[in-house]
Amino acid sequence: MNRVSKFMLAVTAATLIFSPAAYAQKEKKDKKSKKEAAAAAVPAEPQPQLSKEFRAAYQLAVAPFVKNDFAGASAAWPLARAAIQNDDDKYQAGIFAVQLGGKLNDKELSAEGYDLLLESSFTSLDTRQQILFQKAANSYDGKDYPAAEVKMIAAYDAGYRGSDIEALIATTFSQQKKYAEAVSWIQRGIDAKLASGQAVPINFYRQAAGYAVRLDDNPTITKVMKHLVKAEDNADNWRDMLNLYMRKAALSEAETLDVMRLMRSKNAMKYPVEYALYVESLGARRYPVETLSVLQAGIDAGHIEASDTDIKDHLTAARAVVDEDIRGLPSAEKQARTSASGNLISLTGDALFSQGKYAEAQSLYELALTKGSIVDNTGQDRTDRTIMRLGITKAYQKDWAGAKAELAKITSGKRKDIAEYWMIYIDQEMAGGGGV
């Protein structure tokens, strides 16, 4: 992150109403007629009413300043400081100290000027907010994060909303390993952007995800990563999102398979462990055609090597049964179409799906769902799994609307999360992405 305060001195000084040089000049009489003055009149900004005592001492400091004799101005400053009588004096003295401190690169003098401006009731709200932020930024740049935290929040509470302050506050908390507070503040920043119709910076989502990972907060990880892949659709974000989700979700083998199919659809598989997870959730002997397809794609891409022991074992197991699997599927499909068992029909649909016969698989899934609840031989309801597979087959055939309609029927459990990931993918495909 860039230094947050490097521009603030100029910004703050520019917001102040009077410059020291203005008091080194003699007042000029207005030569306009009363009529001309009235015509040109505009509402005058309030001006500080300096005390006689301060004005006299202040002129002694201003005189060398306007001649670029900053050392001389610095020498005269203590007398001007001591002559302050009221809030208006504090205001003008504060301006001078900030500007002189900038010329001398004297941070302590500038800080003294900021404090005087904060003490003065004459200082505008906007300037007060800028100063509070500047003080916070100084602590931030100095890596004094506890102080920066307090000062940043003070600036925020005073109404300052520039410089993506919520993200900066989140960083002050994260640097102190206060990740719950960091997540809260970055979420506040995200919500503020969305509420105002602004684009949320990608880094906001990345920050939120990083904090959530450190908190081990899976619901927040899931929520934020979904936002991230919507905002920045690329293979790396998809891979990170799906791997983070699977790491904490304790998915079944069938659920893992549907996540890995999505990762493959986004061309997001890159590491050997991902290929291993995919084929292990498939079962090389159960679905050999898809196993060989996945592994060959990984080999061709250079992500895995056929000589690797685990990869070689999966290839050997799949090759041993692939011909039989292909030969036997037509009769299995014919038998399934006459069965009264929704589970048998659905499982046969899975076999067709695995061989890339998506239209035939879709037909069997639809048939299975006409049989009522789909219950396997252990008594578990597999209806949602069948609906999800139906939705995915439609997506693979680019029936995007049909796929979303099916996936929207899944309203509970882990499959609801998985369905939402697939729907993000489908939305991106409908908007013109790549994929299957």
Side-chain angles (χ1 to χ4, degrees):
M1 182 178 294
N2 293 332
R3 289 171 61 88
V4 297
S5 65
K6 61 184 179 182
F7 63 93
M8 284 302 299
L9 182 62
V11 172
T12 302
T15 67
L16 305 180
I17 298 172
F18 294 95
S19 69
Y23 278 83
Q25 299 175 0
K26 293 181 179 180
E27 294 183 4
K28 295 182 179 180
K29 294 184 178 180
D30 188 352
K31 296 182 179 180
K32 289 186 177 180
S33 69
K34 291 182 178 180
K35 185 176 180 180
E36 290 173 329
V42 294
E45 293 183 351
Q47 298 183 7
Q49 301 302 307
L50 304 185
S51 69
K52 182 186 299 184
E53 295 86 349
F54 174 71
R55 185 182 291 272
Y58 179 56
Q59 292 287 6
L60 297 176
V62 170
F65 183 96
V66 298
K67 295 177 181 178
N68 294 327
D69 178 8
F70 304 123
S74 179
W77 162 248
L79 290 176
R81 177 71 173 85
I84 292 173
Q85 302 295 311
N86 55 43
D87 274 9
D88 288 22
D89 294 348
K90 285 181 180 178
Y91 176 79
Q92 191 59 44
I95 296 173
F96 181 79
V98 169
Q99 293 184 336
L100 179 58
K103 296 293 186 181
L104 295 172
N105 195 27
D106 185 338
K107 293 182 179 179
E108 290 186 6
L109 180 55
S110 293
E112 185 178 3
Y114 289 134
D115 287 341
L116 285 168
L117 287 163
L118 290 176
E119 292 172 16
S120 173
S121 60
F122 191 86
T123 303
S124 70
L125 176 60
D126 180 65
T127 299
R128 191 176 299 277
Q129 292 169 355
Q130 297 267 3
I131 293 169
L132 286 169
F133 180 75
Q134 175 63 46
K135 289 168 68 68
N138 290 341
S139 294
Y140 186 101
D141 285 347
K143 301 187 185 303
D144 184 354
Y145 296 112
E149 168 203 324
V150 173
K151 294 175 183 177
M152 285 277 183
I153 292 175
Y156 182 91
D157 289 344
Y160 184 82
R161 293 295 184 274
S163 306
D164 289 335
I165 189 171
E166 298 93 344
L168 294 173
I169 293 172
T171 300
T172 67
F173 278 113
S174 72
Q175 290 292 333
Q176 301 172 74
K177 303 189 186 306
K178 299 179 181 178
Y179 298 116
E181 293 90 341
V183 166
S184 176
W185 274 99
I186 197 65
Q187 186 62 55
R188 190 179 301 197
I190 291 169
D191 293 344
K193 295 287 187 185
L194 294 174
S196 63
Q198 299 179 63
V200 178
I202 295 299
N203 198 53
F204 278 32
Y205 292 125
R206 290 176 179 154
Q207 278 185 254
Y211 303 150
V213 167
R214 288 175 174 84
L215 271 178
D216 219 16
D217 180 355
N218 197 55
T220 299
I221 293 170
T222 299
K223 176 183 176 182
V224 171
M225 290 302 294
K226 285 178 180 177
H227 282 300
L228 179 57
V229 296
K230 289 177 184 177
E232 190 177 52
D233 175 17
N234 61 46
D236 288 339
N237 285 341
W238 272 94
R239 179 171 54 255
D240 289 346
M241 177 179 72
L242 296 178
N243 278 326
L244 284 168
Y245 172 69
M246 287 189 292
R247 191 184 74 180
K248 294 296 181 183
L251 301 180
S252 68
E253 193 174 74
E255 291 163 343
T256 299
L257 176 57
D258 290 333
V259 175
M260 293 309 303
R261 282 170 168 163
L262 175 56
M263 189 181 292
R264 186 185 185 194
S265 296
K266 291 301 302 183
N267 298 313
M269 295 176 64
K270 184 176 181 180
Y271 301 111
V273 66
E274 292 159 357
Y275 287 90
L277 184 60
Y278 194 137
V279 297
E280 285 166 7
S281 63
L282 269 172
R285 297 183 66 82
R286 182 172 55 210
Y287 298 128
V289 173
E290 188 171 359
T291 296
L292 292 173
S293 175
V294 170
L295 294 179
Q296 190 60 52
I299 293 167
D300 292 344
H303 296 155
I304 55 176
E305 296 182 5
S307 59
D308 179 271
T309 301
D310 289 339
I311 300 302
K312 185 177 181 180
D313 287 347
H314 288 304
L315 287 170
T316 300
R319 286 167 178 162
V321 296
V322 67
D323 291 340
E324 179 184 346
D325 185 63
I326 293 171
R327 284 195 306 269
L329 190 56
S331 62
E333 178 185 356
K334 184 176 180 180
Q335 180 182 353
R337 291 189 182 280
T338 62
S339 175
S341 169
N343 187 54
L344 174 63
I345 298 169
S346 181
L347 289 174
T348 308
D350 287 344
L352 288 162
F353 184 120
S354 179
Q355 289 193 13
K357 301 179 184 297
Y358 303 125
E360 295 88 341
Q362 175 183 330
S363 176
L364 282 187
Y365 291 139
E366 290 170 339
L367 178 60
L369 290 167
T370 67
K371 306 298 181 180
S373 295
I374 299 172
V375 180
D376 67 14
N377 56 11
T378 68
Q380 294 190 49
D381 192 315
R382 300 301 188 189
T383 305
D384 274 357
R385 184 177 75 174
T386 302
I387 293 171
M388 174 162 284
R389 299 279 168 84
L390 174 58
I392 297 172
T393 61
K394 289 185 176 183
Y396 277 31
Q397 297 172 85
K398 302 189 186 305
D399 176 7
W400 308 122
K404 286 189 72 172
E406 298 300 337
L407 294 168
K409 296 174 184 177
I410 303 172
T411 59
S412 63
K414 296 170 186 175
R415 286 202 171 274
K416 178 178 182 293
D417 287 331
I418 300 170
E420 288 175 355
Y421 290 127
W422 271 98
M423 284 195 279
I424 294 171
Y425 161 75
I426 291 167
D427 285 339
Q428 290 171 344
E429 294 301 299
M430 292 174 73
V436 175

